[in-house]
Amino acid sequence: MSLPALLTQHIARRPQRIALLQHIAEQGSITRAAKAAGISYKAAWDAIDELNNLASQPLVKRSTGGRGGGGAHLSPEGERVLRLYQRLQALQAQILEAAEESSDLDLLGRLMLRTSARNQLQGQVSGLRPEGRYDRVSLALSGGLEIDALITHDSTARLELTVGTTVVALLKAGWVRLLAEGEEAEAGSNCLCTKVEEVLAEVDGPSEVRLALGNGQTLCAMADAHWLAAQHVVDGSVVRVQFHPSYVLIGVPA
């Protein structure tokens, strides 16, 4: 089974994040791997979340017990991606030598867009139906999960979306809202059940909440620290989140 095109493109333009997999394999710990890579613990987990969400299967898994009370290891899929990265490293020098001008590499960099959206979920278009001025695009994620996006007819045509098209759903963390216990989701909104992996509390301003979906993909949300405390939301809590389909942006490989 070949790697998804979106993950392959990510490897090509963000090799430092794939290199983090090598450190995890060697260190068996996110903390030690982040230190070896010269990045923060938070940056390491941001990279891992993005890679896991773009891959068909999680690349990194947490393990309990052992030194320091826990660690992390590569899944079989992660080991396979790491081998691919090592082969790409061998080809990198040849690609650089083949560039006719240094500006060629700058041009390629501009064509490969990076986004500020914290949440990037790979999926496939499973349904397309018009709703007034918009199209409701159903996206099948791995593990049987599904979300909807609302985009214009023009966007559907411009992206050449059809059932089966592989896409990335982009969603800003601020658009993901945690629901209180017993609270009903808004009609027409996406609603997913998640498990809190980590709450990164902030003294001033909203706290960042890392959420695990049942399929191994992750979401990042922002929530008020006082609200989290009042709802007793801590690491390991099960919470539902909602976000409107109009907040879901869709990207496809160029």
Side-chain angles (χ1 to χ4, degrees):
M1 180 179 62
S2 60
L3 285 177
L6 293 165
L7 179 58
T8 303
Q9 288 189 6
H10 185 94
I11 292 173
R13 70 178 186 268
R14 303 295 296 280
Q16 68 276 18
R17 288 198 164 186
I18 307 296
L20 181 63
L21 298 180
Q22 178 70 55
H23 293 298
I24 293 171
E26 294 172 350
Q27 303 292 338
S29 160
I30 298 298
T31 301
R32 292 194 294 271
K35 184 176 181 180
I39 59 177
S40 68
Y41 175 85
K42 181 181 182 298
W45 266 114
D46 285 347
I48 292 166
D49 285 344
E50 185 173 343
L51 292 172
N52 281 347
N53 287 349
L54 291 176
S56 57
Q57 303 173 44
L59 307 183
V60 177
K61 294 186 176 181
R62 286 182 172 178
S63 57
T64 58
R67 293 177 298 174
H73 65 277
L74 299 187
S75 67
E77 181 72 356
E79 292 174 350
R80 191 171 72 87
V81 171
L82 179 57
R83 290 194 298 270
L84 172 62
Y85 167 71
Q86 291 167 341
R87 292 199 296 269
L88 286 176
Q89 278 188 311
L91 293 173
Q92 186 178 35
Q94 298 178 33
I95 295 173
L96 293 175
E97 290 175 0
E100 296 179 5
E101 300 178 9
S102 60
S103 60
D104 291 344
L105 301 179
D106 293 333
L107 172 60
L108 290 177
R110 292 194 299 272
L111 295 178
M112 294 179 178
L113 180 67
R114 294 169 64 181
T115 173
S116 63
R118 291 294 306 277
N119 298 305
Q120 302 182 34
L121 303 172
Q122 180 181 276
Q124 285 190 328
V125 176
S126 58
L128 279 169
R129 53 191 182 279
E131 290 189 3
R133 298 170 53 194
Y134 300 93
D135 286 331
R136 180 173 290 268
V137 184
S138 296
L139 303 176
L141 309 180
S142 62
L145 296 181
E146 188 169 283
I147 61 174
D148 285 350
L150 276 178
I151 63 176
T152 64
H153 305 311
D154 179 68
S155 294
T156 300
R158 181 166 46 83
L159 297 176
E160 300 180 342
L161 297 182
T162 60
V163 172
T165 301
T166 297
V167 303
V168 167
L170 305 171
L171 184 66
K172 292 178 68 68
W175 294 340
V176 180
R177 187 168 76 85
L178 278 65
L179 297 176
E181 185 175 358
E183 181 181 358
E184 293 291 334
E186 296 177 2
S189 288
N190 293 296
C191 184
L192 298 173
C193 184
T194 70
K195 183 176 181 179
V196 177
E197 283 194 337
E198 188 175 17
V199 177
L200 302 175
E202 293 288 344
V203 176
D204 298 317
S207 298
E208 181 178 316
V209 185
R210 295 178 182 274
L211 304 161
L213 299 175
N215 62 358
Q217 293 179 319
T218 57
L219 285 175
C220 178
M222 307 301 292
D224 181 77
H226 297 293
W227 185 92
L228 293 172
Q231 294 295 320
H232 308 292
V233 175
V234 295
D235 295 3
S237 297
V238 175
V239 297
R240 292 174 303 124
V241 300
Q242 74 169 25
F243 48 92
H244 196 270
S246 62
Y247 290 157
V248 180
L249 308 178
I250 294 179
V252 298

